[in-house]
């Protein structure tokens, strides 16, 4: 009789358990399954576009996508009413960036300043993972080349090689929810520098960031520290820039304030001749438009 | 008395083990929008679904980041701006289905599914027609319905409003095997 009581108890208990095992447990069973089979996913959207302001970001166009980027800087704000506070003068860079794969991209551009052409190749070799801290950062290697074609009839010796600058950058970025931070150790090589005291090989350290204000609006900023005694024959400053970034559909629009007039690595890192303290501020904008050149092959 | 109880108990254990639950981890849910300006096609092939044929329970869980779009930029905008998938990583549904169905036999059974759909942290009760089909021990389910993003607090800016349909066309296809 004792044993049958125990059985009765177990029987009732198991019925209760069965009745309970519905609704919420049913859902939590699925949730447990999702958690158990979780795959590594990667953080996306560390930055909205390809540029913080002048500095490249770890982002790149997706496979088969192309960005058309217009970067535009007016003259310095302190150039007076005669020049309409810089609006009479403008520098422009037109660029195309194309994603060969989701991780590898190339780009070309031309800047009106010095009539310079530039090209780069960028490879994302590390991607920040979601949730788990397997990869805490996203990292890219960026290799670039720049060649200016401004004619100097008095300097016939300036051949293509003398006009070329190379740059190599390691872009390391992390997204902290609404805030993203990027550190960029930079190396530049000038084939020709103005005087013997100027260094051909130049090191610099860039720092960039973004704060999302809303889902489609953010403030970005970047600062590049150029250690002294590398560019000595001219007065140069560290580049400091801010942008107000707005995204609508396939466009990224940035309103820019910077003490750099140049927009590619050799120019903004080593040739920033404006100073914020003196009011040499260049106002301008970056407009990026995304085009899908090939159909994304992810879906069958 | 003892024997009867033991028998019932064993039956009970047996029933628990074989509590007719059908599961999948590779279910399909897609959503579609078609306007003259933009076609949106997003598909998720990693939908977790469970159907209990005895209690008529049905549940779905999916990771929002699992939606793959035809355009990478759309996918980024979906995750970053619309569904905010860092904040709301999952969508789920829990409910019951009603309708005459005899799952001991192969056949197609039209049912009505009623329950709570949670997307973007917002829950709504929905009632949709669906079909369940039992075939060779496999239970497949199919449903098609519409939802409005705004009902789930997913705001669509006016500048892109004419590129996205008012209602998203949702298609569900699952093929579950016994647990």
């Amino acid at each position: 009789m004792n044993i049958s009581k125990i059985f009765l108890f177990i029987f009732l208990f198991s019925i209760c358990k069965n009745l309970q095992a519905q609704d919420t447990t049913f859902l939590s069973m699925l949730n447990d399954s999702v958690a158990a089979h979780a795959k590594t996913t990667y953080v996306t959207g560390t930055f909205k576009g390809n540029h913080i302001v002048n500095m490249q970001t770890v982002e790149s166009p997706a496979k088969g996508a192309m960005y058309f980027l217009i970067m535009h800087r007016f003259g310095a704000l302190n150039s007076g009413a005669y020049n309409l506070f810089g609006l009479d003068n403008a520098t422009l860079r037109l660029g195309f960036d194309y994603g060969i794969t989701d991780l590898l991209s190339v780009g070309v551009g031309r800047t009106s300043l010095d009539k310079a052409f530039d090209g780069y190749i960028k490879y994302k070799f590390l991607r920040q993972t979601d949730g788990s801290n397997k990869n805490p950062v996203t990292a890219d290697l960026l290799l670039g080349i720049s060649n200016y074609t401004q004619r100097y009839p008095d300097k016939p010796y300036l051949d293509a090689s003398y006009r070329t600058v190379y740059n190599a950058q390691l872009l390391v970025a992390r997204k902290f929810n609404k805030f993203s931070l990027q550190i960029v150790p930079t190396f530049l090589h000038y084939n020709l520098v103005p005087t013997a005291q100027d260094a051909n090989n130049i090191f610099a350290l860039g720092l960039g960031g973004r704060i999302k204000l809303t889902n489609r609006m953010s403030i970005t900023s970047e600062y590049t520290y150029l250690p002294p005694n590398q560019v000595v024959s001219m007065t140069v400053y560290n580049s400091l820039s801010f942008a107000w970034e707005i995204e609508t559909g396939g466009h990224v629009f940035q309103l820019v304030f910077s003490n750099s007039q140049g927009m590619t690595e050799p120019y903004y890192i080593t040739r920033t001749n404006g100073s914020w303290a003196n009011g040499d501020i260049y106002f301008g904008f970056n407009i990026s438009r995304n085009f899908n050149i090939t159909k994304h092959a992810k879906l069958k | 008395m003892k024997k009867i109880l033991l028998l019932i108990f064993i039956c009970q254990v047996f029933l628990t083990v074989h509590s007719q639950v059908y599961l999948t981890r590779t279910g399909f849910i897609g959503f579609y929008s078609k306007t003259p300006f933009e076609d949106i096609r997003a598909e998720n092939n990693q939908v977790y679904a469970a159907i209990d044929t005895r209690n008529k329970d049905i549940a779905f869980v999916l990771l929002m980041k699992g939606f793959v779009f035809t355009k990478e930029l759309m996918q980024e905008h979906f995750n970053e701006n619309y569904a905010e998938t860092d904040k709301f990583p999952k969508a789920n549904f829990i409910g019951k289905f009603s309708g005459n169905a005899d799952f001991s036999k192969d056949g197609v059974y039209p049912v009505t599914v009623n329950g709570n759909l949670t997307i973007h942290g917002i829950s709504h009760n929905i009632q949709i027609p669906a079909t369940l089909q039992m075939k060779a021990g496999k239970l497949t389910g199919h449903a098609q319905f519409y939802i409005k993003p705004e009902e789930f607090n997913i705001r669509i800016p006016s500048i892109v409003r004419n590129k996205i349909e008012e209602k998203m066309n949702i298609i569900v296809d699952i093929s579950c095997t016994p647990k």
Side-chain angles (χ1 to χ4, degrees), chain A:
Chain A
M1 202 55 205
N2 237 353
I3 288 170
S4 65
K5 264 188 187 158
I6 291 169
F7 271 125
L8 185 65
F9 176 73
I10 293 173
F11 169 61
L12 287 172
F13 180 75
S14 66
I15 283 183
C16 282
K17 231 185 132 210
N18 238 21
L19 287 174
Q20 234 181 27
Q22 284 172 18
D23 250 48
T24 52
T25 18
F26 205 50
L27 195 58
S28 65
M29 174 192 77
L30 277 187
N31 276 323
D32 291 346
S33 186
V34 171
H37 295 94
K39 288 184 195 140
T40 304
T41 55
Y42 298 102
V43 167
T44 57
T46 306
F47 295 98
K48 286 274 183 233
N50 228 11
H51 290 79
I52 293 178
V53 179
N54 295 316
M55 182 192 286
Q56 289 225 19
T57 66
V58 291
E59 300 296 333
S60 56
K63 182 183 177 181
M66 189 180 75
Y67 296 154
F68 173 47
L69 178 67
I70 304 166
M71 299 167 97
H72 186 280
R73 304 288 181 271
F74 290 108
L77 281 181
N78 64 355
S79 59
Y82 178 66
N83 286 321
L84 198 62
F85 306 99
L87 296 189
D88 285 355
N89 301 308
T91 318
L92 184 78
R93 178 181 179 270
L94 298 176
F96 290 98
D97 309 288
Y98 180 74
I100 296 170
T101 72
D102 283 345
L103 304 178
L104 180 70
S105 62
V106 292
V108 290
R110 186 189 179 276
T111 312
S112 60
L113 188 69
D114 275 358
K115 302 192 188 298
F117 288 87
D118 65 270
Y120 74 86
I121 181 162
K122 185 158 73 172
Y123 183 67
K124 193 181 286 184
F125 61 90
L126 205 63
R127 286 184 288 173
Q128 185 184 342
T129 49
D130 232 352
S132 76
N133 259 343
K134 211 176 109 209
N135 292 344
V137 293
T138 302
D140 290 21
L141 182 67
L142 174 74
L143 301 172
I145 182 168
S146 175
N147 183 287
Y148 67 93
T149 61
Q150 178 84 48
R151 286 183 189 140
Y152 292 102
D154 55 323
K155 297 174 187 167
Y157 55 87
L158 275 181
D159 61 11
S161 164
Y162 279 155
R163 292 165 176 272
T164 301
V165 188
Y166 302 93
N167 64 282
Q169 292 186 303
L170 183 67
L171 313 167
V172 183
R174 181 171 167 84
K175 184 184 187 185
F176 307 86
N177 202 3
K178 294 219 174 285
F179 177 63
S180 301
L181 192 69
Q182 179 170 286
I183 294 172
V184 188
T186 301
F187 169 76
L188 289 135
H189 176 80
Y190 275 83
N191 278 349
L192 180 71
V193 285
T195 67
Q197 284 74 43
D198 290 306
N200 286 84
N201 296 325
I202 295 173
F203 296 91
L205 185 67
L207 195 66
R210 176 190 75 162
I211 298 170
K212 269 176 99 171
L213 302 177
T214 70
N215 279 343
R216 292 174 184 81
M217 209 183 283
S218 43
I219 299 279
T220 65
S221 176
E222 65 175 53
Y223 178 76
T224 301
Y225 173 65
L226 177 68
N229 305 323
Q230 298 190 100
V231 182
V232 291
S233 64
M234 55 190 105
T235 310
V236 293
Y237 296 88
N238 293 329
S239 172
L240 173 65
S241 312
F242 299 92
W244 180 34
E245 189 174 70
I246 305 152
E247 183 189 36
T248 51
H251 294 96
V252 179
F253 185 80
Q254 293 176 310
L255 277 174
V256 170
F257 292 92
S258 176
N259 63 336
S260 303
Q261 193 173 24
M263 291 157 280
T264 55
E265 287 77 13
Y267 289 93
Y268 80 81
I269 295 169
T270 63
R271 296 288 182 267
T272 294
N273 51 20
S275 148
W276 277 83
N278 298 340
D280 306 315
I281 299 160
Y282 299 94
F283 168 66
F285 48 81
N286 294 348
I287 302 170
S288 158
R289 169 73 207 174
N290 178 73
F291 296 97
N292 289 288
I293 303 298
T294 59
K295 275 254 177 256
H296 210 258
K298 271 185 181 171
L299 291 182
K300 278 143 250 159

